[in-house]
Every structure is written in structure tokens, then in C-alpha cells.
Amino acid sequence: MEVSQAQADVRRIYRAGFPGPLVSAIVWAAASAVFTWGSVPAGMATLFFGGMLIFPLSTLLMKLLGGPTALPKGHPSAALALQCAFTVPLGLLPAIALGSYEPVLFFPAALIVVGAHYLVFISLYGMRIFAVLAGTLMLIGVSALFFAPELGGISGWLGAGVFLLFAVLLFRAQDETQSV
């Protein structure tokens, strides 16, 4: 199978990737709310465990929309997608450690981890918009850590907003990717 065909399959089956950022927006907003108005540890746990539910909830959303919900068995992109998924919970562990030391650093570190995870999506989907998503998340995280610490307290909310924006953009990109 050609790489371009594998990418077309990923775009078609996963609806140009919009369900993941949509569910991510909800998880990040929930984690930010718990972090802000509940407790810091509970907010970090909400993002960690909620993040583990993003793919299953995205799959449920795709099932509700009808059509396929997974790549066919043996598809060359399936292993890459699975490997990419495991980077986030493992990467969040240092973010949690950092946030336990200084809570305002948790979401910026998490944004960098999750943004880096989206770099793989550029090749997986064959869509440059994932470079913009990855770059935006990492830029907010790096900015909050090193240049604009005042963003630290709202960076979880900013992440939720970025995910919502890109969910809309990717939803709209579905029609374009069907003709690729």
C-alpha cells in the first residue's frame, strides 16, 4: 500500500481527525474546571484519566455518526496510531510531577506533551493542519513556561479553546479530504 493511500484511509475513517480534538476540548475544559474550582490534584487526575478516554469517546462519536470506526486489521497505519497514543499518558507523568511541585506549570507542560504527540498526525493523516495544531499547543505551553508565566493559570482553558477551534476546522476539512 502506498503512503498516500494509507493516509487517505486514515482521513476517511477518522473523519479528518475532528472527533479527537472535539473530545479533547471537553476533557481539557473539565480538567481546567476541576483544577480551578476543585483541587489541583483532582484537576491533574481529570486530565490524565480523561485523556485515556479521548480515543474511546471519539470512537463512540464516530459510531454514532455512522460508518467505520477503525482501520482494517493489518492496516499499515494502525501500529503508528497506537504507538502515538501511548506517548501522551507517559508524557503527562512528568507534567504531573512538575505540577505537584508548582501547580501553575502543569497545564503548560501538558500542552507541550500533547502538542508533540500531534506532530505524528501530520504524517498519519497527511494533513498540514496538524502541524498548526501541534505548533499552537506547544507555543502556548512554552510561552507559559518561559516567557509569559501569567498564561500558566489559564493555559488549560486556552488548550480547550484551541482544541475546540481545530475540531471545527477539521470537521470542515472532511469534505476536502474526501476528494483527495
Side-chain angles (χ1 to χ4, degrees):
M1 177 181 287
E2 296 287 322
V3 170
S4 61
Q5 181 57 51
Q7 291 171 330
D9 291 345
V10 171
R11 287 191 301 269
R12 178 181 51 82
I13 291 170
Y14 294 114
R15 284 33 168 227
F18 95 86
L22 179 59
V23 174
S24 295
I26 295 165
V27 168
W28 277 72
S32 296
V34 172
F35 188 94
T36 302
W37 297 302
S39 75
V40 168
M44 292 190 292
T46 300
L47 186 62
F48 184 79
F49 292 111
M52 290 181 188
L53 296 175
I54 291 170
F55 184 74
L57 291 173
S58 298
T59 302
L60 176 62
L61 176 58
M62 290 186 302
K63 187 175 188 96
L64 293 171
L65 294 172
T69 59
L71 293 169
K73 186 173 181 136
H75 193 280
S77 296
L80 178 60
L82 183 63
Q83 292 163 9
C84 177
F86 282 106
T87 63
V88 175
L90 294 172
L92 284 180
L93 294 175
I96 290 169
L98 190 60
S100 297
Y101 169 73
E102 182 62 56
V104 75
L105 302 178
F106 170 70
F107 281 113
L111 284 165
I112 294 168
V113 168
V114 174
H117 145 271
Y118 272 102
L119 291 170
V120 176
F121 284 47
I122 303 164
S123 295
L124 193 61
Y125 283 82
M127 297 172 66
R128 283 180 240 147
I129 191 171
F130 284 107
V132 180
L133 172 56
T136 302
L137 294 171
M138 291 186 294
L139 179 64
I140 294 169
V142 168
S143 295
L145 283 178
F146 299 108
F147 306 112
E150 61 276 5
L151 293 178
I154 62 166
S155 60
W157 295 107
L158 293 173
V162 168
F163 280 121
L164 185 58
L165 171 64
F166 278 86
V168 171
L169 295 174
L170 291 165
F171 180 82
R172 294 177 67 195
Q174 286 181 100
D175 294 334
E176 298 167 21
T177 62
Q178 299 306 317
S179 61
V180 173

